[in-house]
């Protein structure tokens, strides 16, 4: 089977479902382990919560450069490699939660404008850690995402102060 025929088959399959690869309410796609992730910003919260977005005063220009570097690295590994334990062989702080906390779920519902949340409509949620502060100021920016089709990471929010999943001693 040629590459062109595989692509055409995929296009026909998507067309049959009369939709694109956007993450919609009730979708719960499985992890495509052999795929390298791509990034989608369609769910990213900006105006809804200014403390948890890239425009936050806590998210510095340096943090943004680190973010770009980490995302570039994330997209160069297959999901299987990224999910191989915390930092695994990739050196990237990447995790898909077995049981996300309520705060993260609430942000997902806000991002999808879901007014009647149901945990059955919840896709896998995860995070990418940018770094942990070495000076003890507590800053540990995390990027949270919903896992979509073909390993698309639908970014939801940035958490520069580590407030969505605070450390146990906070």
């Amino acid at each position: 089977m040629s590459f062109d025929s595989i692509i055409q088959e995929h296009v026909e399959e998507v067309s049959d479902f009369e939709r694109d690869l956007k993450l919609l309410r009730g979708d719960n796609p499985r992890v495509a382990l052999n795929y390298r992730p791509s990034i989608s910003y369609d769910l990213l919260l900006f105006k809804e919560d200014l403390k948890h977005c890239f425009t936050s005063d806590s998210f510095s220009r340096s943090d943004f450069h680190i973010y770009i570097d980490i995302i570039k690295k994330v997209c160069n590994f297959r999901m299987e490699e990224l999910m191989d334990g915390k930092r695994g062989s990739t050196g990237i702080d990447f995790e898909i939660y077995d049981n996300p906390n309520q705060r993260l779920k609430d942000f997902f519902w806000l991002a999808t404008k879901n007014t009647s949340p149901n945990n059955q409509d919840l896709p896998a949620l995860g995070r990418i850690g940018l770094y942990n502060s070495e000076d003890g100021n507590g800053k540990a920016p995390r990027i949270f995402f919903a896992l979509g089709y073909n390993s698309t990471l639908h970014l939801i929010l940035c958490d520069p102060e580590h407030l969505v999943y605070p450390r146990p001693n906070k």
Side-chain angles (χ1 to χ4, degrees):
M1 184 176 271
S2 74
F3 179 73
D4 288 340
S5 62
I6 291 171
I7 294 296
Q8 186 57 40
E9 184 178 307
H10 182 68
V11 168
E12 289 169 9
E13 183 178 293
V14 170
S15 297
D16 287 345
F17 285 110
E18 296 181 358
R19 57 172 298 177
D20 57 22
L21 297 177
K22 283 191 178 273
L23 191 61
L24 301 176
R25 183 178 178 173
D27 287 352
N28 195 354
R30 293 181 294 142
V31 176
L33 292 174
N34 289 322
Y35 282 53
R36 286 180 171 82
S38 58
I39 305 298
S40 171
Y41 294 93
D42 59 329
L43 296 180
L44 188 62
L45 294 170
F46 269 110
K47 297 174 187 164
E48 294 84 349
D49 187 336
L50 296 178
K51 277 178 62 175
H52 294 98
C53 74
F54 291 104
T55 57
S56 165
D57 290 339
S58 297
F59 198 75
S60 69
R61 182 180 185 127
S62 172
D63 291 338
F64 192 74
H65 288 278
I66 292 168
Y67 161 76
I68 295 295
D69 187 49
I70 296 289
I71 290 298
K72 182 179 173 184
K73 289 177 185 175
V74 163
C75 294
N76 281 308
F77 288 101
R78 292 187 328 273
M79 287 297 290
E80 176 178 55
E81 296 166 309
L82 290 166
M83 294 173 60
D84 184 26
K86 196 169 184 181
R87 293 196 189 266
S89 60
T90 64
I92 297 170
D93 185 7
F94 183 94
E95 183 177 358
I96 294 180
Y97 295 112
D98 291 328
N99 187 19
N101 71 13
Q102 191 60 47
R103 185 179 275 167
L104 181 55
K105 290 177 189 178
D106 290 344
F107 277 115
F108 175 75
W109 302 132
L110 180 63
T112 58
K113 298 173 180 40
N114 189 335
T115 56
S116 55
N118 176 345
N119 282 341
Q120 292 176 331
D121 293 341
L122 191 68
L125 300 175
R127 65 137 174 82
I128 301 164
L130 299 186
Y131 64 85
N132 290 314
S133 79
E134 295 177 7
D135 61 6
N137 70 6
K139 192 169 180 182
R142 305 289 185 257
I143 308 300
F144 291 91
F145 62 85
L147 181 64
Y149 292 100
N150 295 332
S151 295
T152 301
L153 306 180
H154 295 268
L155 302 189
I156 302 169
L157 62 108
C158 169
D159 182 18
E161 298 294 331
H162 207 260
L163 300 173
V164 174
Y165 262 90
R167 290 186 182 94
N169 62 353
K170 280 206 166 198

